Amino acid sequence: MTPPGCCSKDGASSGKGFCPFSLFLFGATAYSFVSHLQSKSCKRAIDDATASEPSRVVFVLGGPGAGKGTQCQLLSEKLNWAHLSAGDLLREERKKDGSELADVINANISAGKIVPSEITVQLIKNAMEQLRKEKGQMKFLIDGFPRSEGNVNAWNDVVGEDANVECVLYFECPEDILTSRLLERGKTSGRSDDSIDVIRKRFITYRDESMPIIDMYEKEGKVRKIIADRSIEEIYEELEALLKN
């Protein structure tokens, strides 16, 4: 005979009242279910907050051959900042079969001119969104951008408040050193813009269009000037200290 209030072998209560074991199971199941709902709700809230949180962006500027790419790669490897090179994104687009943008990009780069801003910004935005979606990346070093007032305006229009530009790293280096570096790189890079004629055009474009942008950000207090005719190690130490802070 089963004592009153306990469960029989078939799981039913044999007397008046509730079975303590059934109550325990019910309570445990309810607690587990509520915890699961709370966990899902918390995760959803975190995901929503992350999705709405603006990306952290640092623009990296300087003349061609100043070493921006080398330092960005080191910072990416050691401090987990994503490195997006405007030039690399444009070159990758040039290679895509059937790309409507390829002809426009090729003509501008070969002439040493700046590619239309809307194209550059859209490529950067697409890359940022992909990294946020796939890896949850929130920190971006954007190398070689913005180089003109058109770039700045396009960034404000297309990206706007989705990103917070924390500072601008400006790599300063004499043109004779930059020329020597680019000619040396051209021996192995295969890049059409590493020839002496295009290099000269790039310097003119840089002085005329990019320097006013650096001056603009300097007035906003965002420029961090980096002397770039030093060793890779010396420059990296300075950059690491800046970005860690």
Side-chain angles (χ1 to χ4, degrees):
M1 179 177 179
T2 306
C6 292
C7 295
S8 61
K9 292 182 179 178
D10 61 5
S13 176
S14 61
K16 295 181 179 181
F18 295 97
C19 171
F21 184 64
S22 295
L23 286 173
F24 171 76
L25 286 178
F26 175 79
T29 302
Y31 176 80
S32 177
F33 181 68
V34 170
S35 296
H36 174 66
L37 290 179
Q38 289 176 335
S39 177
K40 287 183 67 176
S41 177
C42 182
K43 183 179 185 301
R44 190 181 303 114
I46 292 172
D47 290 343
D48 290 344
T50 301
S52 62
E53 183 182 348
S55 298
R56 298 174 59 192
V57 168
V58 171
F59 290 147
V60 185
L61 296 174
K68 303 182 298 294
T70 298
Q71 293 299 331
C72 285
Q73 189 60 38
L74 287 172
L75 292 166
S76 176
E77 293 170 358
K78 298 183 179 183
L79 297 185
N80 196 35
W81 282 75
H83 172 208
L84 297 178
S85 164
D88 286 349
L89 290 172
L90 290 166
R91 281 184 284 275
E92 288 171 11
E93 191 68 25
R94 294 171 71 185
K95 298 175 184 177
K96 292 182 180 178
D97 294 334
S99 170
E100 297 180 359
L101 303 177
D103 291 341
V104 178
I105 295 171
N106 285 333
N108 280 273
I109 289 181
S110 295
K113 295 180 180 179
I114 292 175
V115 171
S117 300
E118 294 75 14
I119 295 175
T120 305
V121 173
Q122 192 59 55
L123 292 176
I124 293 171
K125 183 181 179 183
N126 292 347
M128 289 173 64
E129 289 178 345
Q130 184 175 354
L131 286 169
R132 282 190 65 148
K133 181 179 179 180
E134 295 179 356
K135 299 183 178 180
Q137 180 61 261
M138 298 291 291
K139 303 186 301 181
F140 299 91
L141 296 167
I142 303 184
D143 171 7
F145 181 91
R147 295 185 178 183
S148 68
E149 184 178 355
N151 280 177
V152 175
N153 293 336
W155 175 268
N156 292 335
D157 290 341
V158 176
V159 180
E161 295 181 356
D162 290 340
N164 176 36
V165 179
E166 297 186 355
C167 69
V168 177
L169 301 177
Y170 168 41
F171 284 61
E172 190 174 47
C173 189
E175 284 190 8
D176 59 333
I177 293 177
L178 296 179
T179 301
S180 176
R181 289 178 179 178
L182 291 170
L183 290 174
E184 187 64 28
R185 184 176 74 182
K187 294 177 182 179
T188 56
S189 70
R191 286 173 50 170
S192 61
D193 56 344
D194 278 344
S195 64
I196 188 64
D197 291 336
V198 175
I199 288 170
R200 292 191 180 116
K201 293 177 183 177
R202 292 173 71 191
F203 284 152
I204 293 171
T205 300
Y206 173 71
R207 287 195 298 268
D208 292 347
E209 299 195 37
S210 297
M211 283 307 300
I213 301 306
I214 294 168
D215 292 339
M216 179 194 76
Y217 282 118
E218 190 156 27
K219 290 176 183 176
E220 296 179 11
K222 289 190 173 183
V223 172
R224 306 292 181 267
K225 191 174 293 186
I226 308 299
I227 304 303
D229 56 346
R230 297 177 293 162
S231 70
I232 291 174
E233 293 76 17
E234 285 179 296
I235 296 171
Y236 176 76
E237 286 180 8
E238 182 177 352
L239 291 171
E240 183 180 54
L242 279 172
L243 293 185
K244 276 187 174 181
N245 296 330

